[in-house]
């Protein structure tokens, strides 16, 4: 079994909980309260600013030109494609660019990005990939699930564009490229080395769940 398939088995319960989370279900059914979506857009925008830096660190840690080019593309697509979706939503929702950029990250948001940035700065390329992969892979799985269970979700007047972006073949192919890269990089790694990667993958998958919960419930700083 490929390493990515082993990860997929181990993460199943966490991702299942994400698929059942009221925020995700609400995106599919169209019944998500707009206040939660606004909170998500603002928190996610500042999340993506830090997340982009992981791709820049991927360029630095890459060991060949193909991998460098791929991370450079991910960096470009995140800053200009994924974040443009957020800017477009912000305009629709009456949020200014300044408000978006100045969003104060919630405790969960900060903990999640700091965890990944710490791994990216201090760990290997394989560690960097295993910690940032759930972000892309889980969104790809969510959007496929939504397309199956809520076939009209991509036509919703507000949430449809979100569903379309993350269920696009382009987004899916980037996630698959990264999965394939990780499978190639782990060839010959010891059980001990793989256990570290698996731990990063499961930790950031849990952060994904907590992020959904935070934007749904509004987990801000207590004081
Ligand atoms: C928190 C989070 N996780 C994942 C993604 C998809 N890149 C995102 N935009 N935000």
């Amino acid at each position: 079994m490929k390493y990515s398939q082993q990860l997929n088995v181990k993460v199943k319960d966490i991702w299942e909980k994400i698929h059942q989370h009221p925020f995700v279900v609400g995106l599919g059914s169209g019944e998500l309260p707009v206040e939660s979506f606004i909170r998500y857009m603002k928190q996610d925008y500042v999340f993506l600013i830090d997340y982009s830096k992981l791709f820049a660190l991927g360029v630095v840690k890459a060991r060949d030109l193909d991998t460098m080019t791929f991370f450079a593309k991910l960096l470009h697509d995140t800053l200009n494609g994924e974040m443009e979706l957020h800017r477009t939503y912000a305009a629709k929702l009456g949020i200014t660019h300044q408000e978006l950029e100045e969003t104060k990250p919630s405790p969960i948001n900060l903990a999640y990005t700091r965890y990944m940035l710490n791994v990216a700065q201090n760990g290997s390329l394989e560690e960097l990939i295993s910690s940032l992969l759930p972000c892309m892979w889980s969104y790809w799985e969510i959007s496929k699930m939504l397309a199956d269970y809520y076939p009209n979700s991509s036509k919703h007047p507000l949430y449809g564009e979100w569903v379309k972006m993350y269920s696009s073949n382009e987004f899916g192919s980037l996630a698959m490229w990264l999965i394939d890269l990780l499978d190639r990089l782990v060839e010959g790694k010891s059980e001990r080395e793989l256990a570290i990667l698996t731990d990063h993958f499961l930790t950031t998958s849990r952060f994904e769940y907590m992020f959904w919960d935070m934007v749904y419930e509004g987990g801000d700083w207590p004081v």
Side-chain angles (χ1 to χ4, degrees), residues 50 53-54 57 61 110-124 127-128 131 200 204 207:
D50 279 331
K53 294 181 186 175
L54 298 169
L57 288 164
K61 299 219 163 182
L110 200 62
Y112 185 7
T113 54
R114 271 24 184 199
Y115 180 88
M116 290 187 289
L117 284 166
N118 184 50
V119 170
Q121 274 157 355
N122 298 312
S124 63
E127 287 190 78
L128 181 155
S131 73
H200 289 320
T204 53
F207 269 128

Side-chain angles (χ1 to χ4, degrees), residues 40 44 47-48 51 82 86 112 135 139 166 171 208 211:
Y40 166 79
D44 205 47
F47 171 88
L48 287 173
Y51 191 68
E82 191 171 359
H86 290 53
Y112 185 7
C135 175
Y139 266 47
Y166 291 108
F171 185 79
E208 277 295 322
F211 196 97

